[in-house]
Amino acid sequence: MAPVNVSMAPAMGQPAALTTKQSNARDTYTHSLSNFKSILNERRSEIDSNRRLPNLPGQALYLARIDLMSAYKDLTDALPSKIGRPNKFGIPPEYFDADIEPLVDEYGKLFDLMEAPPANAQNSATPFKDVFDLGVAIARAKGLDATQAEAAGRISLGLFFAETNGKQNVGNARSNTYKGSLQTGPDEDRNGRRKWEALKKSMITSDPELIARDDREEARIGDMDHRLNHWTAVRDGLMNAHADLFREIPAIVKTLPSPIDQMKFFELIQIIPTPTRSALRSGHLTDYRVSDRVIMRHLRNNSIFAFGQADRRRTSASFREILDAMWLFNRKFERAISKVEEVRAR
Protein backbone atom coordinates (compact mmCIF):
# COMPACT_ATOMS: atom_id res chain seq x y z
CA MET A 1 0.00 0.00 0.00
CA ALA A 2 1.35 3.40 -0.94
CA PRO A 3 2.10 5.68 2.01
CA VAL A 4 -0.43 8.42 2.78
CA ASN A 5 0.74 11.92 2.02
CA VAL A 6 -0.03 13.47 5.42
CA SER A 7 0.51 17.00 4.17
CA MET A 8 -2.42 16.58 1.74
CA ALA A 9 -4.92 14.91 4.15
CA PRO A 10 -7.23 16.94 6.42
CA ALA A 11 -6.29 16.82 10.07
CA MET A 12 -8.24 14.35 12.22
CA GLY A 13 -11.52 16.01 13.26
CA GLN A 14 -10.86 19.07 11.12
CA PRO A 15 -14.03 20.16 9.26
CA ALA A 16 -13.86 20.07 5.50
CA ALA A 17 -13.52 23.42 3.78
CA LEU A 18 -16.80 24.95 2.64
CA THR A 19 -17.63 25.15 -1.02
CA THR A 20 -18.30 28.55 -2.53
CA LYS A 21 -22.05 27.84 -2.45
CA GLN A 22 -21.93 26.85 1.20
CA SER A 23 -19.83 29.83 2.16
CA ASN A 24 -22.15 32.20 0.31
CA ALA A 25 -25.20 30.66 2.01
CA ARG A 26 -23.56 31.06 5.41
CA ASP A 27 -22.63 34.68 4.75
CA THR A 28 -26.11 35.51 3.44
CA TYR A 29 -27.71 34.06 6.56
CA THR A 30 -25.32 35.97 8.81
CA HIS A 31 -26.21 39.21 7.00
CA SER A 32 -29.97 38.46 7.16
CA LEU A 33 -29.75 37.74 10.88
CA SER A 34 -27.88 40.99 11.48
CA ASN A 35 -30.47 42.94 9.46
CA PHE A 36 -33.36 41.34 11.38
CA LYS A 37 -31.77 42.25 14.72
CA SER A 38 -31.13 45.80 13.50
CA ILE A 39 -34.76 46.40 12.50
CA LEU A 40 -36.01 44.84 15.74
CA ASN A 41 -33.79 47.21 17.72
CA GLU A 42 -34.86 50.20 15.63
CA ARG A 43 -38.59 49.56 16.16
CA ARG A 44 -38.11 48.87 19.86
CA SER A 45 -36.15 52.11 20.28
CA GLU A 46 -38.82 54.11 18.42
CA ILE A 47 -41.61 52.66 20.56
CA ASP A 48 -39.81 52.97 23.89
CA SER A 49 -38.86 56.59 23.21
CA ASN A 50 -42.36 57.46 21.91
CA ARG A 51 -40.95 58.53 18.56
CA ARG A 52 -43.22 58.68 15.54
CA LEU A 53 -43.24 55.37 13.70
CA PRO A 54 -42.84 55.26 9.91
CA ASN A 55 -45.81 54.48 7.70
CA LEU A 56 -46.46 50.71 7.73
CA PRO A 57 -43.93 50.10 10.51
CA GLY A 58 -44.37 46.35 10.38
CA GLN A 59 -43.58 45.89 6.70
CA ALA A 60 -39.78 46.12 6.93
CA LEU A 61 -39.85 43.89 10.00
CA TYR A 62 -42.04 41.29 8.27
CA LEU A 63 -39.87 41.25 5.16
CA ALA A 64 -36.73 40.90 7.28
CA ARG A 65 -38.22 37.84 9.00
CA ILE A 66 -39.16 36.28 5.66
CA ASP A 67 -35.66 37.01 4.34
CA LEU A 68 -34.11 35.47 7.45
CA MET A 69 -36.10 32.23 7.19
CA SER A 70 -35.44 32.09 3.46
CA ALA A 71 -31.69 32.52 4.00
CA TYR A 72 -31.72 29.81 6.66
CA LYS A 73 -33.49 27.39 4.30
CA ASP A 74 -30.82 28.07 1.66
CA LEU A 75 -28.17 27.48 4.32
CA THR A 76 -29.62 24.14 5.42
CA ASP A 77 -30.08 23.11 1.79
CA ALA A 78 -26.37 23.78 1.25
CA LEU A 79 -25.29 22.46 4.67
CA PRO A 80 -27.82 19.92 6.00
CA SER A 81 -25.71 19.59 9.17
CA LYS A 82 -27.02 23.06 10.14
CA ILE A 83 -30.55 21.67 10.65
CA GLY A 84 -30.99 21.92 14.40
CA ARG A 85 -33.44 21.00 17.11
CA PRO A 86 -37.23 21.50 16.97
CA ASN A 87 -38.52 24.94 17.90
CA LYS A 88 -41.47 26.04 20.01
CA PHE A 89 -43.22 27.63 17.00
CA GLY A 90 -43.62 24.31 15.21
CA ILE A 91 -41.69 25.57 12.18
CA PRO A 92 -39.85 22.81 10.29
CA PRO A 93 -36.24 22.92 11.63
CA GLU A 94 -34.76 23.29 8.16
CA TYR A 95 -36.47 26.70 7.95
CA PHE A 96 -35.73 28.01 11.43
CA ASP A 97 -32.84 28.05 13.89
CA ALA A 98 -34.28 27.42 17.37
CA ASP A 99 -31.51 29.58 18.85
CA ILE A 100 -33.27 32.72 17.60
CA GLU A 101 -36.59 32.01 19.33
CA PRO A 102 -36.11 35.05 21.64
CA LEU A 103 -35.80 37.32 18.58
CA VAL A 104 -39.11 36.06 17.19
CA ASP A 105 -40.72 36.51 20.61
CA GLU A 106 -39.61 40.15 20.46
CA TYR A 107 -40.98 40.36 16.90
CA GLY A 108 -44.39 39.25 18.19
CA LYS A 109 -44.32 41.74 21.06
CA LEU A 110 -43.54 44.60 18.70
CA PHE A 111 -46.44 43.67 16.41
CA ASP A 112 -48.75 43.51 19.42
CA LEU A 113 -47.79 47.11 20.22
CA MET A 114 -47.91 48.37 16.63
CA GLU A 115 -51.30 46.71 15.96
CA ALA A 116 -52.98 47.55 19.27
CA PRO A 117 -56.70 48.35 18.81
CA PRO A 118 -57.62 52.05 18.71
CA ALA A 119 -59.02 53.64 21.86
CA ASN A 120 -62.58 53.69 20.47
CA ALA A 121 -62.64 49.98 19.54
CA GLN A 122 -65.52 48.01 21.04
CA ASN A 123 -64.33 44.76 22.56
CA SER A 124 -66.36 41.68 23.39
CA ALA A 125 -66.09 39.80 26.67
CA THR A 126 -66.57 36.55 24.71
CA PRO A 127 -64.59 37.02 21.48
CA PHE A 128 -64.06 33.33 20.66
CA LYS A 129 -67.63 32.33 21.42
CA ASP A 130 -68.85 35.20 19.23
CA VAL A 131 -66.88 33.96 16.23
CA PHE A 132 -68.02 30.37 16.74
CA ASP A 133 -71.66 31.34 17.29
CA LEU A 134 -71.76 33.56 14.21
CA GLY A 135 -70.22 30.84 12.03
CA VAL A 136 -72.72 28.27 13.29
CA ALA A 137 -75.72 30.61 12.96
CA ILE A 138 -74.84 31.67 9.42
CA ALA A 139 -74.34 28.04 8.41
CA ARG A 140 -77.70 26.98 9.90
CA ALA A 141 -79.38 29.85 8.03
CA LYS A 142 -77.72 28.51 4.87
CA GLY A 143 -79.37 25.11 5.44
CA LEU A 144 -76.59 23.07 7.08
CA ASP A 145 -77.35 20.55 9.80
CA ALA A 146 -75.95 20.82 13.34
CA THR A 147 -72.76 18.84 12.66
CA GLN A 148 -71.99 20.72 9.45
CA ALA A 149 -72.75 24.05 11.14
CA GLU A 150 -70.34 23.22 13.95
CA ALA A 151 -67.65 22.70 11.30
CA ALA A 152 -68.47 26.19 10.01
CA GLY A 153 -68.03 27.59 13.51
CA ARG A 154 -64.68 25.85 13.88
CA ILE A 155 -63.54 27.11 10.47
CA SER A 156 -64.61 30.65 11.41
CA LEU A 157 -62.45 30.50 14.54
CA GLY A 158 -59.58 29.29 12.37
CA LEU A 159 -59.97 32.37 10.17
CA PHE A 160 -59.92 34.62 13.24
CA PHE A 161 -56.62 33.10 14.37
CA ALA A 162 -55.18 33.12 10.85
CA GLU A 163 -55.88 36.81 10.40
CA THR A 164 -55.17 38.21 13.88
CA ASN A 165 -53.79 35.41 16.08
CA GLY A 166 -57.09 35.55 17.94
CA LYS A 167 -56.82 39.25 18.89
CA GLN A 168 -59.93 41.37 18.46
CA ASN A 169 -60.21 44.79 16.81
CA VAL A 170 -56.52 44.98 15.88
CA GLY A 171 -54.96 47.37 13.42
CA ASN A 172 -52.52 46.33 10.72
CA ALA A 173 -48.87 47.39 10.82
CA ARG A 174 -48.39 46.32 7.21
CA SER A 175 -51.46 47.89 5.60
CA ASN A 176 -53.50 51.08 5.84
CA THR A 177 -56.53 49.34 4.32
CA TYR A 178 -57.21 46.30 6.47
CA LYS A 179 -58.22 46.28 10.12
CA GLY A 180 -60.46 44.61 12.64
CA SER A 181 -60.99 41.09 13.93
CA LEU A 182 -61.15 39.58 10.44
CA GLN A 183 -58.83 42.10 8.72
CA THR A 184 -61.24 43.42 6.12
CA GLY A 185 -61.12 46.52 3.96
CA PRO A 186 -63.93 49.11 3.88
CA ASP A 187 -65.52 47.70 0.72
CA GLU A 188 -65.41 44.14 2.05
CA ASP A 189 -67.05 45.25 5.27
CA ARG A 190 -69.84 47.08 3.44
CA ASN A 191 -70.44 44.09 1.16
CA GLY A 192 -70.64 41.79 4.18
CA ARG A 193 -73.13 44.10 5.89
CA ARG A 194 -75.40 44.07 2.83
CA LYS A 195 -75.34 40.28 2.68
CA TRP A 196 -75.99 40.02 6.42
CA GLU A 197 -79.07 42.27 6.25
CA ALA A 198 -80.54 39.98 3.60
CA LEU A 199 -79.80 36.82 5.60
CA LYS A 200 -80.85 38.28 8.97
CA LYS A 201 -84.51 38.44 7.96
CA SER A 202 -84.62 34.65 7.73
CA MET A 203 -83.14 34.24 11.23
CA ILE A 204 -85.47 36.42 13.32
CA THR A 205 -87.70 33.53 14.39
CA SER A 206 -85.14 30.69 14.19
CA ASP A 207 -82.40 32.38 16.25
CA PRO A 208 -83.96 35.26 18.23
CA GLU A 209 -81.22 35.34 20.89
CA LEU A 210 -78.46 35.86 18.33
CA ILE A 211 -80.53 38.47 16.48
CA ALA A 212 -81.10 40.35 19.74
CA ARG A 213 -77.33 40.35 20.34
CA ASP A 214 -76.82 41.61 16.81
CA ASP A 215 -79.28 44.44 17.35
CA ARG A 216 -77.44 45.48 20.51
CA GLU A 217 -74.07 45.52 18.74
CA GLU A 218 -75.50 47.47 15.80
CA ALA A 219 -76.84 50.08 18.21
CA ARG A 220 -73.52 50.13 20.04
CA ILE A 221 -71.37 50.77 16.94
CA GLY A 222 -73.90 53.15 15.36
CA ASP A 223 -72.38 55.19 12.54
CA MET A 224 -68.79 54.28 13.42
CA ASP A 225 -66.62 51.97 11.32
CA HIS A 226 -68.16 48.52 11.85
CA ARG A 227 -64.67 47.01 11.85
CA LEU A 228 -64.08 48.61 15.26
CA ASN A 229 -66.69 46.37 16.90
CA HIS A 230 -65.63 42.74 17.27
CA TRP A 231 -69.08 41.28 16.62
CA THR A 232 -69.92 43.32 13.53
CA ALA A 233 -66.37 42.99 12.12
CA VAL A 234 -66.48 39.19 12.32
CA ARG A 235 -70.05 38.99 11.06
CA ASP A 236 -69.37 41.19 8.04
CA GLY A 237 -66.05 39.51 7.29
CA LEU A 238 -67.61 36.04 7.26
CA MET A 239 -70.53 37.20 5.15
CA ASN A 240 -68.29 38.96 2.63
CA ALA A 241 -65.98 36.15 1.61
CA HIS A 242 -66.83 32.86 3.27
CA ALA A 243 -70.52 32.41 4.02
CA ASP A 244 -71.43 31.71 0.39
CA LEU A 245 -69.19 28.62 0.56
CA PHE A 246 -70.62 27.30 3.82
CA ARG A 247 -73.13 25.27 1.77
CA GLU A 248 -70.13 23.44 0.30
CA ILE A 249 -68.82 22.34 3.70
CA PRO A 250 -70.14 18.74 3.38
CA ALA A 251 -68.19 18.27 0.13
CA ILE A 252 -65.13 20.08 1.52
CA VAL A 253 -65.12 17.92 4.66
CA LYS A 254 -65.41 14.78 2.55
CA THR A 255 -62.44 15.80 0.39
CA LEU A 256 -60.42 17.31 3.27
CA PRO A 257 -61.19 15.29 6.42
CA SER A 258 -58.52 17.12 8.43
CA PRO A 259 -60.02 20.12 10.30
CA ILE A 260 -56.76 22.00 9.78
CA ASP A 261 -56.90 21.42 6.02
CA GLN A 262 -60.49 22.69 6.05
CA MET A 263 -59.36 25.88 7.76
CA LYS A 264 -56.50 26.24 5.27
CA PHE A 265 -58.96 25.92 2.40
CA PHE A 266 -61.12 28.75 3.74
CA GLU A 267 -58.03 30.87 4.39
CA LEU A 268 -57.14 30.40 0.71
CA ILE A 269 -60.54 31.91 -0.09
CA GLN A 270 -59.10 35.01 1.57
CA ILE A 271 -55.74 34.83 -0.25
CA ILE A 272 -56.51 33.49 -3.75
CA PRO A 273 -60.33 33.36 -3.98
CA THR A 274 -60.82 32.73 -7.71
CA PRO A 275 -58.54 29.69 -8.16
CA THR A 276 -59.72 28.26 -4.82
CA ARG A 277 -63.34 28.36 -5.97
CA SER A 278 -62.29 26.91 -9.31
CA ALA A 279 -60.47 24.07 -7.55
CA LEU A 280 -63.60 23.24 -5.58
CA ARG A 281 -65.82 23.29 -8.68
CA SER A 282 -63.39 21.06 -10.57
CA GLY A 283 -64.29 18.00 -8.52
CA HIS A 284 -60.56 17.29 -8.06
CA LEU A 285 -59.72 19.85 -5.42
CA THR A 286 -56.37 18.55 -4.19
CA ASP A 287 -55.09 17.80 -7.70
CA TYR A 288 -56.16 21.15 -9.15
CA ARG A 289 -53.04 23.03 -10.25
CA VAL A 290 -52.30 26.74 -10.39
CA SER A 291 -49.50 28.16 -12.53
CA ASP A 292 -50.40 31.83 -12.95
CA ARG A 293 -47.47 34.03 -11.90
CA VAL A 294 -49.75 36.52 -10.12
CA ILE A 295 -51.35 33.72 -8.07
CA MET A 296 -47.96 32.29 -7.13
CA ARG A 297 -46.88 35.78 -6.06
CA HIS A 298 -49.98 36.14 -3.86
CA LEU A 299 -49.12 32.82 -2.21
CA ARG A 300 -45.55 33.95 -1.54
CA ASN A 301 -46.79 37.25 -0.14
CA ASN A 302 -48.68 35.17 2.43
CA SER A 303 -45.69 33.02 3.46
CA ILE A 304 -46.49 30.09 1.15
CA PHE A 305 -43.58 28.92 -1.03
CA ALA A 306 -41.72 31.99 0.24
CA PHE A 307 -38.64 30.48 1.89
CA GLY A 308 -35.48 29.50 0.07
CA GLN A 309 -34.52 29.55 -3.57
CA ALA A 310 -36.05 26.15 -4.33
CA ASP A 311 -39.50 27.27 -3.18
CA ARG A 312 -39.26 30.67 -4.83
CA ARG A 313 -38.38 29.08 -8.16
CA ARG A 314 -41.67 27.18 -8.23
CA THR A 315 -43.85 28.11 -11.18
CA SER A 316 -46.88 25.98 -10.27
CA ALA A 317 -48.39 23.94 -7.46
CA SER A 318 -51.33 21.63 -6.84
CA PHE A 319 -53.74 22.49 -4.04
CA ARG A 320 -52.42 19.53 -2.06
CA GLU A 321 -48.94 21.03 -2.32
CA ILE A 322 -50.29 24.46 -1.38
CA LEU A 323 -52.09 23.11 1.69
CA ASP A 324 -48.95 21.25 2.78
CA ALA A 325 -46.87 24.41 2.31
CA MET A 326 -49.13 26.37 4.68
CA TRP A 327 -47.28 25.00 7.73
CA LEU A 328 -46.97 28.46 9.29
CA PHE A 329 -50.75 28.35 9.80
CA ASN A 330 -50.74 25.00 11.61
CA ARG A 331 -50.07 26.43 15.06
CA LYS A 332 -52.76 29.09 14.61
CA PHE A 333 -55.35 26.51 13.60
CA GLU A 334 -54.40 24.17 16.42
CA ARG A 335 -55.09 27.03 18.83
CA ALA A 336 -58.46 27.62 17.13
CA ILE A 337 -59.40 23.98 17.63
CA SER A 338 -58.50 24.22 21.32
CA LYS A 339 -60.75 27.29 21.62
CA VAL A 340 -63.64 25.30 20.13
CA GLU A 341 -63.25 22.85 23.00
CA GLU A 342 -63.32 25.76 25.49
CA VAL A 343 -66.47 27.17 23.90
CA ARG A 344 -68.15 23.75 24.11
CA ALA A 345 -67.14 23.39 27.75
CA ARG A 346 -68.96 26.65 28.56
Side-chain angles (χ1 to χ4, degrees), residues 132-141 143-156 246 249-250:
F132 184 79
D133 287 352
L134 280 164
V136 169
I138 292 168
R140 292 306 299 265
L144 274 66
D145 65 24
T147 300
Q148 296 160 352
E150 184 169 300
R154 183 178 64 241
I155 288 165
S156 299
F246 279 180
I249 281 179

Side-chain angles (χ1 to χ4, degrees), residues 51-73:
R51 278 185 281 153
R52 184 181 180 88
L53 293 173
N55 184 41
L56 307 182
Q59 183 67 356
L61 200 51
Y62 169 80
L63 292 176
R65 180 181 67 85
I66 296 295
D67 182 66
L68 179 63
M69 291 176 62
S70 189
Y72 191 72
K73 181 59 165 62

Side-chain angles (χ1 to χ4, degrees), residues 7 10 41 61 113 118 187 189 200 209 220 258 269 277 301:
S7 64
N41 290 334
L61 200 51
L113 293 169
D187 290 343
D189 183 73
K200 182 177 180 177
E209 186 176 338
R220 185 182 175 204
S258 163
I269 289 293
R277 292 174 187 274
N301 286 344

Side-chain angles (χ1 to χ4, degrees), residues 142-332:
K142 295 281 186 179
L144 274 66
D145 65 24
T147 300
Q148 296 160 352
E150 184 169 300
R154 183 178 64 241
I155 288 165
S156 299
L157 263 176
L159 294 168
F160 181 37
F161 274 90
E163 293 301 315
T164 70
N165 285 315
K167 299 180 180 72
Q168 56 179 320
N169 298 327
V170 297
N172 192 317
R174 298 179 51 219
S175 170
N176 292 323
T177 300
Y178 300 99
K179 67 174 68 172
S181 294
L182 235 57
Q183 291 293 290
T184 49
D187 290 343
E188 294 166 332
D189 183 73
R190 283 190 290 268
N191 185 51
R193 287 173 66 186
R194 285 194 296 269
K195 290 183 177 181
W196 170 253
E197 288 303 320
L199 186 68
K200 182 177 180 177
K201 297 172 184 176
S202 69
M203 302 169 66
I204 293 174
T205 56
S206 62
D207 205 338
E209 186 176 338
L210 183 131
I211 295 304
R213 169 70 187 280
D214 188 72
D215 288 341
R216 291 194 299 272
E217 296 300 334
E218 277 286 346
R220 185 182 175 204
I221 193 65
D223 294 331
M224 291 170 56
D225 187 335
H226 274 50
R227 296 174 298 164
L228 295 178
N229 173 291
H230 175 67
W231 175 274
T232 55
V234 169
R235 180 200 71 191
D236 298 343
L238 290 175
M239 289 301 301
N240 170 68
H242 304 99
D244 289 343
L245 276 181
F246 279 180
R247 288 194 183 95
E248 306 295 333
I249 281 179
I252 293 167
V253 169
K254 185 177 181 180
T255 303
L256 301 173
S258 163
I260 288 181
D261 276 349
Q262 295 159 23
M263 293 175 180
K264 287 178 179 178
F265 175 82
F266 273 86
E267 179 61 16
L268 287 172
I269 289 293
Q270 194 98 342
I271 298 171
I272 49 168
T274 299
T276 303
R277 292 174 187 274
S278 297
L280 183 62
R281 288 195 300 267
S282 74
H284 304 282
L285 194 160
T286 55
D287 293 330
Y288 189 88
R289 201 161 193 88
V290 296
S291 55
D292 185 277
R293 285 181 295 177
V294 174
I295 299 303
M296 296 300 290
R297 185 167 68 247
H298 284 322
L299 291 172
R300 292 190 178 96
N301 286 344
N302 286 273
S303 302
I304 305 165
F305 303 129
F307 309 108
Q309 295 181 27
D311 269 358
R312 293 197 304 273
R313 280 196 297 263
R314 271 183 171 271
T315 58
S316 69
S318 70
F319 263 75
R320 180 67 268 168
E321 291 169 331
I322 294 170
L323 293 169
D324 290 343
M326 294 175 72
W327 39 261
L328 270 182
F329 291 88
N330 289 350
R331 190 162 174 259
K332 298 171 184 279

